[in-house]
Amino acid sequence: TSFSTPKKKKRDDGMREHVTGCARSEGYYKIDKKDKLKYLNNSRAFAEEPPADTQVRNHPPQRRSEQRRLLSSFTGSCDSDLLKFNQLKFRKKKLKFCKSHIHDWGLFAMEPIAADEMVIEYVGQNIRQVIADMREKRYEDEGIGSSYMFRVDHDTIIDATKCGNFARFINHSCNPNCYAKVITVESQKKIVIYSKQHINVNEEITYDYKFPIEDVKIPCLCGSENCRGTLN
């Protein structure tokens, strides 16, 4: 039995035609430089042509302005806090915690943050006042110097001492660059830290704890010009 070597045929466009239907079955063969140049030119032209979905995205200015108008009307008709909170979940701010000149650990921005933006949610366990009093005493007995409890309302407190996130490292300042706000998301109250002003990279995130006035004072170490001297 003899096997005949497939003859080299060229198509109308000058490219080699594989008579067996598969280039692999014809073994190794050298491609002529002229044919290779034609192939490269055809591939380059195809690569430079933008795909169809990209062409659709390049909307004219009128189309983009129309989209912005629709988005603004949608934002105005919806709960802005809910919309911002959803944006916060999908686009988390880049933050880090490290040693602070104010007190122990602090939270710092790793990217510029514009004014009136959600920075981070204060995450922890929702507990009642009775449980909060019990835990505070237990934390003292365990030697935990700081407890991270944030009051939401008269009945609810968020305890982030042992199951919180980076928000618990935010230090107090009498001249803060952020503020805390209670928002309601799907009938559940949450505490979110908002920026009061533009925050630069590596700038420490701070807010006013607004502790109630008490006889036993807690010294404030924020060092701002208008420092009150105490947290409470």
Side-chain angles (χ1 to χ4, degrees), residues 69-80 83-84 87:
R69 186 186 66 79
L70 290 174
L71 179 61
S72 61
S73 63
F74 171 77
T75 305
S77 62
C78 295
D79 186 347
S80 59
L83 187 62
K84 288 183 178 180
Q87 291 174 345

Side-chain angles (χ1 to χ4, degrees), residues 41-217:
N41 288 336
N42 290 338
S43 300
R44 189 178 298 112
F46 179 77
E48 290 176 354
E49 182 181 352
D53 58 343
T54 305
Q55 294 176 351
V56 172
R57 291 193 191 97
N58 293 332
H59 302 302
Q62 297 86 352
R63 180 74 178 277
R64 289 197 296 268
S65 62
E66 179 69 13
Q67 287 180 337
R68 285 195 295 268
R69 186 186 66 79
L70 290 174
L71 179 61
S72 61
S73 63
F74 171 77
T75 305
S77 62
C78 295
D79 186 347
S80 59
D81 283 340
L82 176 59
L83 187 62
K84 288 183 178 180
F85 186 77
N86 288 335
Q87 291 174 345
L88 176 66
K89 289 195 297 183
F90 291 106
R91 171 62 178 88
K92 294 183 178 180
K93 296 292 187 295
K94 294 180 181 179
L95 308 169
K96 65 178 179 180
F97 73 95
C98 54
K99 283 293 184 178
S100 167
H101 70 278
I102 297 178
H103 173 70
D104 205 8
W105 296 95
L107 191 65
F108 294 81
M110 294 180 65
E111 64 177 338
I113 301 175
D116 197 33
E117 281 195 6
M118 282 186 172
V119 179
I120 190 173
E121 180 191 1
Y122 195 96
V123 176
Q125 280 186 318
N126 287 6
I127 59 176
R128 293 176 290 115
Q129 181 65 56
V130 177
I131 304 299
D133 294 338
M134 294 171 57
R135 287 191 179 184
E136 191 170 7
K137 184 178 184 307
R138 189 177 71 201
Y139 292 153
E140 291 178 0
D141 296 338
E142 293 176 354
I144 299 176
S146 301
S147 60
Y148 302 90
M149 296 190 184
F150 202 122
R151 179 176 295 279
V152 179
D153 52 32
H154 181 72
D155 301 318
T156 308
I157 294 173
I158 295 180
D159 182 10
T161 306
K162 293 187 175 182
C163 58
N165 62 349
F166 284 173
R168 63 179 179 168
F169 295 113
I170 302 178
N171 279 316
H172 163 88
S173 176
C174 298
N175 185 26
N177 52 20
C178 293
Y179 64 95
K181 181 180 178 181
V182 179
I183 66 173
T184 302
V185 178
E186 295 178 352
S187 58
Q188 182 180 2
K189 291 184 178 179
K190 295 180 178 291
I191 297 174
V192 178
I193 309 302
Y194 281 78
S195 55
K196 289 180 60 177
Q197 60 204 39
H198 177 81
I199 300 174
N200 297 316
V201 177
N202 293 325
E203 184 177 349
E204 183 169 3
I205 307 296
T206 58
Y207 66 88
D208 190 343
Y209 287 1
K210 295 185 177 180
F211 282 170
I213 298 176
E214 297 177 345
D215 293 334
V216 180
K217 298 297 182 181

